[in-house]
Amino acid sequence: MNMASRIILIIAALLLTMSGYAFGSDIAIGMSLSLTGRYAEMGNMQQKGLFLWEKHVNEKGGILGRNVKIIIMDDKSSKERAKNIYKRLIEKDKVDFVIGPYSSGISEAILPVTEKNRYPVLLSGASADRLWEKGYRYAFGIYTPASKYTSGFLQMLVKQKIENIAIISAEDTFSVSLSKGTRKWAQRFKLNVACFQVFKKGQKHLADIALRAKESGSQAVIVCGHLNESVDMRLALKKIGWYPEAYYASVGPATRQFYNILKDDSNLTFSSSQWEESVGIRFPQGEEFIKAFHKYYKISPSYHAATAYAAGMILEAALEKSGSLDKEDLRETLFSLDTMTVIGRYGVDKKGKQKRHFPLIIQWQNKKKNVVWPDSLKELDPVFQ
Amino acid sequence: MLQRQRKSLTLRIAFPVVILILLLGVMLDRFVLNVISDFTKEQIQRDLGSISRIINNICDINFENLLMEGKADDRQALTIEQGLVLGQVEDLLVQEDLLGIVYDKNLKKILLKTDLPLEPVKWMDPGKGIKGLKSLGENAGGWFAFYEEFSPWGWQIIILKNEIEYSSLKTRLNKVYLNTLLILIFASALLIFFIHQTIKKPVNTIIQALRKGKRPNYQGIYVFEFLSDSITGMMDSIKKSEEKYRSIIETATGFVWEVDKKGNYTFISETVKNILGYDPKELLGKSAFFTMPEKEIDRMSPVFRKNALCLKPFENLVNKNLNKQGRTVFLETRGVPIIAEDGRLSGYRGVNKDITLQLIAKKEHKELERHRHQLQKMEAIGTLAAGIAHDFNNLLFIIMGNVSLSKVGIEKGLPVIKYLKQAEAASARAGELANELITLSKGGMPILTVGSIKNLLAETAGSIIKDVNVKLLLQIQENLLTVEYDEIQMKQVFINIITNALESMPNGGLITIDAQNLWKRDHTDKVESSLPEKIYVKITFKDQGRGIERQHLENIFDPYFTTREMGTKRGAGLGLAVVYSIVSHHDGRISVSSEPGCGTMITLYIPACEKSI
């Protein structure tokens, strides 16, 4: 071999080495988040939670001796955009790992991509049961499944001797799962579902549906949707002048924006929450997380921020446990992992669906969001009309 | 093609092996399936029993909690607790991939029902107090139900599992079967390949060589090598034997033949060409009587037929045949019948030997014997006659002298002179007889000179056949060879023969005299065939007289044998005896043939002079 050939080989080897470390020695973790669009409130919270975890984990020396690099791209609350982002992250940028986007619908869109490329994905913003009924092998839940969101609220209704309820649901992945689960739980608790209505996502005027719920003799109204639906239904009820004994709406009331929009009309609204400061502070590292979040962002973290942070913690624990960056090893570890995070306990069933985390029931009382269930963790007693 | 495949060596060996393997496979499958079925049932009972106990525990713990919290009678608390239990039960069932229902016997209502593929009430009979494992029957499609009760709440918990859930075991087994099948197919292919390589290939090598008529020369596996060498040895042995047999057949004096039951040739050896002049192909398919003259066929066919009917062999059956050139060939036939498996005659096989020369030799010998006997007879008679004739001549001289003297003293005109003259004539005649007798004796040996008998024959015949009503046809070959002969004796021969001929034709006729050189003898003629190997001048005298009776032909050359009346002047019977004697003294031969009423033919064979040849 002559000198020229040797030089060419050395250069080629160097180029290959460089191309294999596109992100240097950092562990690249990519994801899309709804930084704009209808899920922007939740998406931005998640971004804050993840950046905070990135800061914390790198301060501790990274994972397996390597720093972590979080790469977030805005999917603008679009399924198609999110799907393309994950394709790019995995197939072009070749990130080491990915974390799921916000919302069950968008998560459902990106799962075929991660599945095809055998990338384990922690779904930190999705809870629809349907995601784990499609046979995906690389999807791991962090949230309590949607079908269990309302269990605590329904128990409160039983105690309150309410017998008839109305279930009103938006037509999206998460909301449908939630409404079906709620109906099932209602039957278990021997509650009569007097009204079951489904409306199209984005439908603003819900007065007619509210009227039908009223006419059904329902004593409580459960709205399965996100922030917009929770606000719209509250306004629709007000419009028809009906205040049921209990009004529950998923997701939206857990955010500060719900109050900011409705102000006093938000009062006595029930909702589910994956995490609340008052409860999270009792979990390991919960207090540090809350303090740090306040310190860096000057606001209180929502459960979306906490679950995003928790996703980082779970990934960190799994990689440390498996001792390698191999994706198949990570997948096996995520199935068997049983660990504590800032939002509570992590553990999934054999399909990857979260089974150890439990939701909280919160209620807006006097401009403040309070945990009202479970009894052992509640801040205040629930109040009915 | 199919028949040939069925007879394939590989198939014959591989087929029973494959069948045996398949039978074992089926038996194993039946056995294993039963075991799996039992095992599946036990496993279902164990699994469902275990889950059922867990569910019972969940119910129990929650019920205990209510009791401990003093809320056993709190309806809302009970509802919540039961609802939570139902949730846990459903989660557990989903987690374990099980189906089931929770039936409230008090309310007679199903509290929980997972997504069932069949109508549970129809098959499961909830609320009927059934406990333990129960198969829901064939109609339920392989479903098993495990019945458990939680009495405090009046719940009947029924957990369902389909035996298909354990199909993984069957699937694995099927994979094992599939793998085994593939191994067996591979093994069978290997076996066939092995058979092909170790048995069929060597056998084919040997067979192909045999089909081409070649000696197999297989090298490889010892057994087949031995077989190949043995066959080669046998072939060599057969070839040698065949060559030997062929050489025997080809050099035999006869030819070997085979005929079918109709008597047509199916095989005929090459030597037939030497004997009959026919190529074997010309005779194949033709009758064995093809070469026989019609009269011979008439004579032989009954003999053949009779033997064939009795399945008897032929022994030394002499028959006359004509070769391709038309010459007579005498064959001696020997043959044995060929008997088919059914015991019937399928033909004959045998040898035909050419005995023509033997027969000729026999004839020659007989003729020579006859000639020798004739000579001896003539010699004995001649010696006797010569003695008598000598003494007789002496006495005749005395008688004739005395008669002559008596005549001298007697006066002319006396009657006694007439008697004396008669006595003198009789004495002279007696003297002639005595001379003839002397000629027959040793004293008549010829004085030979070389010359042509052409003129002698013509002159003698001309002088005798004159002034009579008999015509002469003289046919003498131009270049007639010369002979050594005694002119006087030979003339006597011609005179005697012609005289006899004239006497046999008192009413006239034709005498044909033919003289020619005899280069090639007719072997069918018993005299010609017996002649020594010389060139002869053949002289034939043929008349149209009354002929000679067959019974007299043998004696016509005996002295004093005559068919004429005794006492006549010319009835002494020495003429032909003299002819015979003279011809014999010339180393010649004489033959006579005659048919009564048709004339007589006398043939002389006089050896030609060697110098003239």
Side-chain angles (χ1 to χ4, degrees), chain B residues 245 256-259 267 314 334-338 347-351:
Chain B
Y245 165 73
V256 180
W257 51 265
E258 265 186 25
V259 294
F267 170 77
F314 303 114
R334 289 182 181 187
V336 291
I338 304 168
Y348 267 85
R349 181 186 296 123
V351 180

Side-chain angles (χ1 to χ4, degrees), chain B residues 121-165:
Chain B
V121 181
K122 189 175 178 182
W123 304 108
M124 290 153 57
D125 296 328
K128 287 200 174 177
I130 304 165
K131 276 201 162 187
L133 189 72
K134 180 192 171 188
S135 169
L136 297 185
E138 291 293 321
N139 294 332
W143 284 95
F144 283 85
F146 194 92
Y147 296 79
E148 181 70 36
E149 278 195 10
F150 185 67
S151 302
W153 291 343
W155 282 9
Q156 187 180 39
I157 303 151
I158 307 170
I159 309 167
L160 293 165
K161 189 135 191 165
N162 198 304
E163 62 182 354
I164 205 166
E165 299 286 325

Side-chain angles (χ1 to χ4, degrees), chain A residues 303-352:
Chain A
Y303 76 78
H304 306 96
T307 49
Y309 190 92
M313 290 179 77
I314 294 163
L315 183 62
E316 179 188 351
L319 288 173
E320 293 288 354
K321 190 180 177 186
S322 68
S324 80
L325 300 180
D326 183 80
K327 293 176 188 60
E328 289 301 324
D329 287 349
L330 175 64
R331 176 179 171 270
E332 290 299 317
T333 309
L334 285 172
F335 269 118
S336 61
L337 190 68
D338 187 350
T339 188
M340 287 300 293
T341 68
V342 292
I343 63 165
R345 195 175 170 193
Y346 166 86
V348 296
D349 64 14
K350 60 185 179 184
K351 292 179 179 174

Side-chain angles (χ1 to χ4, degrees), chain A residues 1-11:
Chain A
M1 188 182 286
N2 57 30
M3 186 59 73
S5 301
R6 285 182 183 179
I7 290 166
I8 290 167
L9 275 176
I10 290 166
I11 292 167

Side-chain angles (χ1 to χ4, degrees), chain A residues 265-278:
Chain A
D265 288 331
S266 66
N267 202 32
L268 301 183
T269 300
F270 289 97
S271 186
S272 299
S273 174
Q274 299 290 334
W275 176 87
E276 288 299 325
E277 276 189 48
S278 62

Side-chain angles (χ1 to χ4, degrees), chain B residues 287-304:
Chain B
S287 167
F289 300 119
F290 175 72
T291 54
M292 292 182 188
E294 279 189 22
K295 283 185 179 177
E296 190 68 0
I297 293 171
D298 294 341
R299 185 178 75 83
M300 294 305 297
S301 59
V303 180
F304 276 96

